[in-house]
């Protein structure tokens, strides 16, 4: 077998045999595959696709490319959650403590952000003192003791994905259903959870631009998980607008804290986080109805138990738990610069990807993997879709430390808001649940 044969086969629209896919991943992991050959194969897959069987074999080969976490020494149903990448999406910081406060076991390995999307690890590291590099033993002990740990994924877990994702990111091959499905599910399965909730985004700020493509991706991932005896449910969530009102690392921790403190009732982020938490509660407690789970989620927040669980997580991983009571202890930017509406009207849309990119230029995200980020900077939105605005009214505040790329960020913001004469139609955020 030779990589060129496989590139030609996929380029010509043919189906790979399982042996061919395993060969490709083995060669990649052994360092014997040239980057240009992998890039050509990825582009062939992007154009020609893979059927369900090929995607499943690719997922398994990727899982077997590295270590797998064994969570069997922890009692109960171990749960995990994954988002396919969003803007202002701090749901993990809300969901994980709620589910752990309900007695669930959240053993979570997370990633960093790249481009316009954020990553949970970067958000956690904006908390003074917080460590995300626990050993496997510390990770397991912490889940046993407090029901919750969030750490960085080691390079030994699905190394094939690390190499493949880095190349996809620079060759225009990220937004492929089989490649995303295999990338996400190989990591989720290798991390060892029994029950997984996936938040599959669609719209302007997402890899999947249409609801139909998001549904196909979700169905593929649910099927791959179930074949391996995992409970999997997937939400199809609109990512036209940023999910939260605060975009940037410490800003997103602040918003998550305020939701757990009950200060952000009815916001989009709260709605999605509560609903996904309710599904995870049902999956961790067989027989629990979704209605009862929703009531429990509200009680866990209202009673302060969820916020206390977040405090326990911070304390266990070296973070300053005083931020739970005093969010202003989080890193703060030196300058706050307003961005005002150019005209009267209604906010017709707020382009999520554009806002995420503007925050990245301020230093909240990375343009390349090696960029460092500034935890304090970002953008706070003061309006949401459908809201009437007056000319000159403040729609956003830029939190800035370094002005080098301020003009670029402001220019992007000027394109991000659509102000229109008519009030836009409201649509539900979670359009469908797959696998329930
Ligand atoms: N998130 C992942 O982990 N992998 C992808 O391919 C896309 C989003």
């Amino acid at each position: 077998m030779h990589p060129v044969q496989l590139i030609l086969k996929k380029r010509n629209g043919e189906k790979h045999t399982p042996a061919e896919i395993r060969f490709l991943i083995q060669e990649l992991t052994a360092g014997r595959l040239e980057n240009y050959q992998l890039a050509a194969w990825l582009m062939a897959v992007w154009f020609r696709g893979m059927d369900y069987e090929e995607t499943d074999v690719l997922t398994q080969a990727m899982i077997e490319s590295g270590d797998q976490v064994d969570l069997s020494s922890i009692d109960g149903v171990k749960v995990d959650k994954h988002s396919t990448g969003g803007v202002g999406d701090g749901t993990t910081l809300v969901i994980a403590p709620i589910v752990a406060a309900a007695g669930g076991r959240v053993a979570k390995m997370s990633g960093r952000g790249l481009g316009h999307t954020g990553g949970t690890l970067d958000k956690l590291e904006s908390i003074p003192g917080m460590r995300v590099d626990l050993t496997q033993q510390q990770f397991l002990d912490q889940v046993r003791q407090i029901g919750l740990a969030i750490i960085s994924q080691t390079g030994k877990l699905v190394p094939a994905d690390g190499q493949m994702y880095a190349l996809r990111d620079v060759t225009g091959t990220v937004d492929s259903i089989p490649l995303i499905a295999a990338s996400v599910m190989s990591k989720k399965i290798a991390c060892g959870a029994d029950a997984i909730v996936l938040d599959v985004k669609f719209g302007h700020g997402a890899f999947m631009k249409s609801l139909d493509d998001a549904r196909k991706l979700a169905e593929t991932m649910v099927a791959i998980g179930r074949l391996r005896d995992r409970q999997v449910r997937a939400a199809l969530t609109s990512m036209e607008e940023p999910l939260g009102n605060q975009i940037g690392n410490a800003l997103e921790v602040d918003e998550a804290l305020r939701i757990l403190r009950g200060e952000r009732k009815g916001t989009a982020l709260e709605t999605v986080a509560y609903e996904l938490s309710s599904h995870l509660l049902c999956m961790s407690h067989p027989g629990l109805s979704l209605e009862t789970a929703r009531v429990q989620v509200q009680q866990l927040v209202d009673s302060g138990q969820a916020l206390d669980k977040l405090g326990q997580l911070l304390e266990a991983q070296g973070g300053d738990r005083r931020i739970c009571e005093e969010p202003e202890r989080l890193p703060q930017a030196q300058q706050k610069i307003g961005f005002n509406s150019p005209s009267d009207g209604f906010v017709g849309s707020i382009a999520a990807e554009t806002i995420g990119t503007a925050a990245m230029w301020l230093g909240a995200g990375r343009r390349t993997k090696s960029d460092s980020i500034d935890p304090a900077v970002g953008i706070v939105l003061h309006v949401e879709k459908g809201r009437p605005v007056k000319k000159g009214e403040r729609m956003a505040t830029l939190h800035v430390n370094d002005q080098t790329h301020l003009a670029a960020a402001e220019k992007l913001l000027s394109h991000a808001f659509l102000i229109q004469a008519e009030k836009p139609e409201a649509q539900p955020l979670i359009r469908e649940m797959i696998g329930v």
Side-chain angles (χ1 to χ4, degrees):
M1 233 180 274
H2 192 278
V4 177
Q5 290 171 318
L6 306 194
I7 296 167
L8 288 172
K9 200 167 172 185
K10 195 38 83 183
R11 188 200 70 181
N12 296 339
E14 290 170 47
K15 178 173 168 162
H16 281 313
T17 64
E20 287 169 347
I21 294 173
R22 284 195 285 269
F23 166 76
L24 203 81
I25 296 302
Q26 278 160 9
E27 291 296 289
L28 167 66
T29 316
R32 288 190 294 262
L33 192 61
E34 299 293 348
N35 261 354
Y36 51 80
Q37 289 181 314
L38 180 59
W41 180 78
L42 290 167
M43 190 54 88
V45 171
W46 192 93
F47 274 107
R48 294 298 196 166
M50 280 181 143
D51 71 9
Y52 171 67
E53 195 189 343
E54 290 173 292
T55 309
D56 187 56
V57 173
L58 177 63
T59 309
Q60 189 61 33
M62 288 170 69
I63 294 170
E64 289 167 9
S65 73
D67 293 348
Q68 294 179 52
V69 182
D70 181 3
L71 299 177
S72 60
S73 61
I74 301 169
D75 290 339
V77 180
K78 276 72 71 181
V79 302
D80 197 354
K81 165 267 147 198
H82 186 88
S83 151
T84 57
V87 176
D89 182 356
T91 48
T92 296
L93 302 173
V94 180
I95 295 171
I98 291 177
V99 176
R105 302 276 170 195
V106 186
K108 181 142 181 56
M109 294 191 171
S110 287
R112 297 189 186 280
L114 189 63
H116 70 279
T117 63
T120 301
L121 287 188
D122 298 322
K123 294 171 202 176
L124 283 175
E125 281 182 340
S126 74
I127 299 167
M130 190 73 180
R131 288 182 43 220
V132 292
D133 57 348
L134 308 190
T135 64
Q136 281 241 350
Q137 196 53 50
Q138 289 169 328
F139 176 64
L140 297 177
D141 288 345
Q142 188 176 312
V143 178
R144 256 182 239 114
Q145 279 153 17
I146 64 166
L148 171 60
I150 308 178
I151 64 166
S152 61
Q153 187 189 304
T154 72
K156 292 183 190 153
L157 211 84
V158 198
D161 181 60
Q163 287 167 268
M164 206 140 69
Y165 196 90
L167 208 55
R168 284 169 60 206
D169 200 44
V170 291
T171 55
T173 52
V174 170
D175 53 344
S176 145
I177 291 176
L179 295 179
I180 297 180
S183 163
V184 170
M185 291 312 288
S186 59
K187 286 178 288 195
K188 293 293 106 181
I189 307 275
C191 283
D194 308 304
I196 303 155
V197 158
L198 302 167
D199 187 4
V200 181
K201 310 287 191 188
F202 68 92
H204 185 267
F207 295 127
M208 296 292 105
K209 302 297 175 203
S210 76
L211 178 60
D212 280 350
D213 280 347
R215 188 183 299 112
K216 264 186 235 151
L217 173 61
E219 283 169 353
T220 307
M221 294 195 289
V222 168
I224 289 173
R226 291 199 168 162
L227 215 70
R228 290 164 183 79
D229 283 336
R230 314 292 163 115
Q231 297 185 63
V232 190
R233 297 185 184 186
L236 304 184
T237 313
S238 167
M239 190 36 77
E240 296 293 347
E241 275 70 42
L243 186 57
N245 293 326
Q246 303 186 179
I247 298 99
N249 295 288
L251 287 169
E252 292 182 39
V253 174
D254 178 88
E255 189 169 16
L257 281 175
R258 292 185 191 279
I259 288 175
L260 292 174
R261 288 160 61 86
E263 294 170 12
R264 296 286 163 88
K265 291 205 184 303
T267 56
L269 181 62
E270 188 203 57
T271 306
V272 172
Y274 282 12
E275 191 62 7
L276 298 184
S277 301
S278 305
H279 281 281
L280 278 171
L281 252 57
C282 292
M283 292 157 93
S284 335
H285 305 284
L288 186 72
S289 74
L290 190 57
E291 287 67 33
T292 311
R294 286 183 180 132
V295 174
Q296 275 190 14
V297 165
Q298 192 64 60
Q299 283 168 347
L300 289 161
V301 174
D302 291 346
S303 64
Q305 285 167 276
L307 185 66
D308 181 57
K309 189 54 80 178
L310 181 67
Q312 290 175 29
L313 170 76
L314 302 187
E315 204 170 308
Q317 294 184 210
D320 183 354
R321 80 171 284 172
R322 290 175 299 176
I323 63 159
C324 294
E325 300 312 324
E326 301 164 60
E328 52 289 350
R329 285 183 177 273
L330 285 162
Q332 305 286 329
Q334 285 153 14
Q335 271 187 297
K336 305 211 170 118
I337 299 168
F339 179 83
N340 301 335
S341 175
S343 54
D344 289 351
F346 290 92
V347 179
S349 61
I350 307 173
E353 187 171 346
T354 314
I355 297 278
T357 308
M360 183 191 78
W361 279 112
L362 293 178
R366 296 181 184 81
R367 271 164 291 154
T368 66
K369 261 191 155 173
S370 55
D371 277 356
S372 59
I373 55 169
D374 182 338
V377 301
I379 295 167
V380 174
L381 303 173
H382 305 298
V383 295
E384 61 286 316
K385 181 178 171 181
R387 164 95 130 65
V389 282
K390 293 261 171 250
K391 183 175 177 181
E393 183 179 337
R394 188 177 281 208
M395 295 199 292
T397 301
L398 292 87
H399 289 231
V400 182
N401 277 333
D402 176 355
Q403 296 220 353
T404 313
H405 299 296
L406 177 60
E410 284 179 323
K411 187 155 183 230
L412 281 164
L413 274 197
S414 68
H415 296 300
F417 292 89
L418 174 71
I419 307 299
Q420 60 187 46
E422 302 291 316
K423 188 174 163 87
E425 208 181 305
Q427 293 216 305
L429 265 175
I430 300 184
R431 292 297 160 81
E432 285 172 39
M433 284 298 303
I434 308 284
V436 178

